[in-house]
Amino acid sequence: MFQFDNSYARLPDRFFASVYPEPVEGPKLIKFNQELAEELGVEADFSDPARLAAILAGNVVPPGASPIAMAYAGHQFGNFVPQLGDGRAILLGEVVDRNGLRRDIQLKGAGPTPFSRRGDGRAALGPVLREYIVSEAFAALGLPATRALAAVATGEPVYRETVEQGAVFVRVAASHVRVGTFQFFAARGDNDGVKLLADYVIERHYPELKDEENRYLALLRAVALKQADLIARWLGVGFIHGVMNTDNMTISGETIDFGPCAFLDEYNPMKVFSSIDQMGRYAYRNQPGIGQWNIARLAECLLPLLDGDEEKAVNAANAVLTEFGERFQSEWLTVFRRKIGLFSGADGDGDLIQSLFAAMHEGKADFTLVFRRLADAAEGRDEAFLASFADTAKAQDWLTAWRERLAGEDRSGGERAAAMRAVNPAVIPRNHRVEEAIAAANYGDFSFFERLLEALENPYDERPEFADLMAPPKPEERVTQTFCGT
Ligand code: AMP
Ligand code: MG
């Protein structure tokens, strides 16, 4: 089924623990991503569904796999934990996809590993479906993220706050190397490990840096800029990751771990959904600052490789951190300029965007709809945009300022609206719709899950049959808190 070539398993033993998935009682395929399978060159045999489900649940380890749990450490909510590791995920192996890119095939929830400590190594159906929905929504939106190859029911209960149904999520990633993977070796004073890992990720993710004079500094910079771009794009779709711990930040620049993540409905820059984020560390607006903090932790790991002279190494790392901030700012401006339909840049654009945010915050406007309806305003129809705000006067003033700015660009309303609709989604995985899909699935009805996935395949299209999925939550539908629920 998979043409495996497992480069990570060829690294020294201390990088991982070899471990086989623990078979489950009654594996049953919930969903298989055929389009992604084709991209990966993965051949699924649907004539034998029992065997297919058995492979995807970890009951049958396919030929060529070398199952391992990866070692990593991480800062969780600012506190350093020297050993985390894959506690409920097993990397089956790697495949090289149709574009020549190496991708990990990982089973999440496939049983205990030496890194499990207190956990059971299992995943519940709800979080598996959430990760499926949000990762595929990210792909369709064009945002870098790990992907969903399959979801499989295990036929076994998992014990969380309540008894839930167990499931396995088959995750595809450019790699699962995280900032925390570097921290694992650095915390042990294992500089050879850090160097081996750095060389590994340069080869795998940044081969163009191999011949740089200071390849490790170039690596730090490349990772930093990728993360700055990624977070700017998160903000562009109103995404709140929820657990930006260093073990949940990839080196490849893909978004990973869709746990208590959520999308803004009413705009509020300090919005937090995650039940475990009581201090608001990972609030919407804090994400770029936290991204930079995480990159600083990566820089600390790489310091010995940056320069033999410690002061020079620190200065070089600090320059990268400054660059992170600048890059985030400029990418953020680019993202939001496009969202408000600008084709060019001018002084004052940042203020114009901020004043829209102020009106949205005050007017309790729905983040996604505001930008989508602004495209209508570009064609002269202001009503729906204005109706998104509790207080239309501020929104009206903003439209006036916006039109003054637009007057400096020679573009037709139709051209502008089309460009805006291509970057401002109509359909996002709204929190209440994700919850609804999970609740129905818990009762054995996967039709909501399927329908939501179908709508999210074309997030920039407004299709009348999915109007209900575009609408903001009614007050009683609003999700106020999300849970890791792993
Ligand atoms: P996460 O919150 O998914 O980033 O996970 C943080 C750490 O907790 C990782 O080391 C996981 O492997 C571990 N972990 C989370 N859930 C479980 C579980 N059910 N069983 C074992 N380990 C877990
Ligand atoms: Mg994680």
Side-chain angles (χ1 to χ4, degrees):
M1 176 169 176
F2 300 98
Q3 301 293 315
F4 283 122
D5 173 43
N6 308 324
S7 66
Y8 208 81
R10 292 194 285 269
L11 288 167
D13 286 350
R14 63 189 193 282
F15 279 64
F16 54 82
S18 292
V19 54
Y20 272 72
E22 176 97 359
V24 296
E25 192 67 35
K28 201 164 162 273
L29 193 59
I30 295 170
K31 183 79 182 162
F32 186 79
N33 189 340
Q34 186 56 36
E35 210 178 302
L36 178 61
E38 277 161 28
E39 182 184 318
L40 297 171
V42 168
E43 278 165 30
D45 180 4
F46 288 99
S47 70
D48 190 351
R51 184 177 157 82
L52 183 59
I55 291 173
L56 296 168
N59 282 25
V60 171
V61 174
S66 29
I68 58 171
M70 289 167 67
Y72 56 85
H75 275 91
Q76 300 192 305
F77 290 90
N79 303 308
F80 186 62
V81 184
Q83 183 177 302
L84 289 165
D86 288 332
R88 47 125 183 214
I90 293 175
L91 175 63
L92 266 192
E94 301 152 26
V95 297
V96 176
D97 73 12
R98 291 237 164 111
N99 306 310
L101 296 173
R102 182 176 288 276
R103 317 271 291 266
D104 279 4
I105 311 288
Q106 191 203 55
L107 306 182
K108 198 167 168 181
T113 78
F115 301 113
S116 295
R117 293 175 304 165
R118 287 178 299 277
D120 58 3
R122 293 298 181 192
L125 178 63
V128 165
L129 297 184
R130 179 180 296 105
E131 180 152 359
Y132 199 114
I133 294 165
V134 184
S135 28
E136 290 313 294
F138 261 58
L141 286 165
L143 267 65
T146 62
R147 299 288 306 270
L149 181 60
V152 196
T154 61
E156 291 179 358
V158 290
Y159 300 92
R160 298 295 181 258
E161 249 131 69
T162 56
V163 184
E164 297 192 45
Q165 299 166 61
V168 172
F169 179 69
V170 185
R171 179 158 72 182
V172 175
S175 88
H176 284 85
V177 179
R178 311 135 193 269
V179 169
T181 319
F182 281 90
Q183 291 181 292
F184 178 84
F185 298 103
R188 283 158 183 74
D190 180 357
N191 284 338
D192 288 343
V194 174
K195 187 166 182 296
L196 265 172
L197 184 64
D199 287 333
Y200 177 85
V201 298
I202 289 171
E203 184 77 38
R204 182 162 176 179
H205 299 300
Y206 302 96
E208 68 281 8
L209 305 181
K210 260 194 303 206
D211 302 320
E212 290 276 325
E213 201 180 304
N214 189 339
R215 60 194 335 223
Y216 304 112
L217 181 60
L219 171 65
L220 176 64
R221 182 170 177 271
V223 175
L225 299 186
K226 275 225 164 122
Q227 287 294 338
D229 290 352
L230 178 65
I231 295 168
R233 299 185 67 190
W234 286 357
L235 298 199
V237 294
F239 180 71
I240 306 173
H241 182 283
V243 254
M244 289 177 70
N245 294 334
T246 55
D247 55 303
N248 291 337
M249 180 179 265
T250 61
I251 296 300
S252 68
E254 287 183 338
T255 311
I256 195 167
D257 270 5
F258 299 95
C261 66
F263 286 80
L264 283 175
D265 15 78
E266 265 179 34
Y267 176 70
N268 172 358
M270 285 316 288
K271 187 71 196 167
V272 175
F273 287 93
S274 170
S275 62
I276 54 171
D277 190 4
Q278 272 150 16
M279 308 294 287
R281 179 179 170 90
Y282 301 139
Y284 175 78
R285 186 175 70 184
N286 289 351
Q287 296 182 112
I290 287 292
Q292 190 181 40
W293 191 88
N294 289 349
I295 295 296
R297 305 289 77 76
L298 175 63
E300 285 166 0
C301 300
L302 294 173
L303 275 184
L305 300 180
L306 298 186
D307 203 298
D309 178 324
E310 198 182 323
E311 198 184 319
K312 282 190 185 145
V314 169
N315 289 340
N318 278 332
V320 171
L321 294 177
T322 304
E323 210 180 335
F324 176 100
E326 292 161 357
R327 175 68 163 249
F328 170 77
Q329 281 302 331
S330 79
E331 193 61 23
W332 182 90
L333 253 183
T334 302
V335 165
F336 280 95
R337 270 192 184 119
R338 284 199 193 118
K339 285 182 76 73
I340 65 167
L342 296 178
F343 286 84
S344 61
D347 287 347
D349 288 348
D351 290 342
L352 181 66
I353 295 161
Q354 291 297 357
S355 65
L356 174 59
F357 280 134
M360 285 163 66
H361 193 188
E362 217 178 293
K364 299 186 187 312
D366 181 79
F367 182 91
T368 304
L369 278 191
V370 159
F371 292 102
R372 188 72 192 183
R373 295 297 163 235
L374 188 59
D376 303 340
E379 294 176 311
R381 296 187 311 279
D382 297 354
E383 305 75 28
F385 173 80
L386 292 172
S388 310
F389 296 79
D391 158 24
T392 49
K394 283 252 160 63
Q396 187 71 65
D397 289 348
W398 188 81
L399 280 182
T400 307
W402 178 62
R403 291 205 161 102
E404 274 168 30
R405 170 67 177 88
L406 298 189
E409 288 183 352
D410 187 18
R411 300 277 175 168
S412 74
E415 189 185 0
R416 201 183 295 282
M420 292 169 78
R421 290 190 186 108
V423 295
N424 292 319
V427 199
I428 56 153
R430 289 187 178 273
N431 312 323
H432 65 299
R433 294 305 183 192
V434 174
E435 291 306 326
E436 182 180 60
I438 291 171
N442 279 326
Y443 286 105
D445 177 358
F446 288 88
S447 64
F448 288 77
F449 169 69
E450 292 286 350
R451 182 166 176 265
L452 186 53
L453 283 181
E454 193 189 333
L456 290 166
E457 270 174 29
N458 297 298
Y460 299 105
D461 288 353
E462 257 175 77
R463 289 177 284 174
E465 65 269 36
F466 294 122
D468 57 324
L469 301 181
M470 290 179 234
K474 299 191 184 88
E476 69 276 15
E477 290 174 330
R478 197 171 289 144
V479 173
T480 52
Q481 223 178 21
T482 55
F483 303 89
C484 273
T486 50

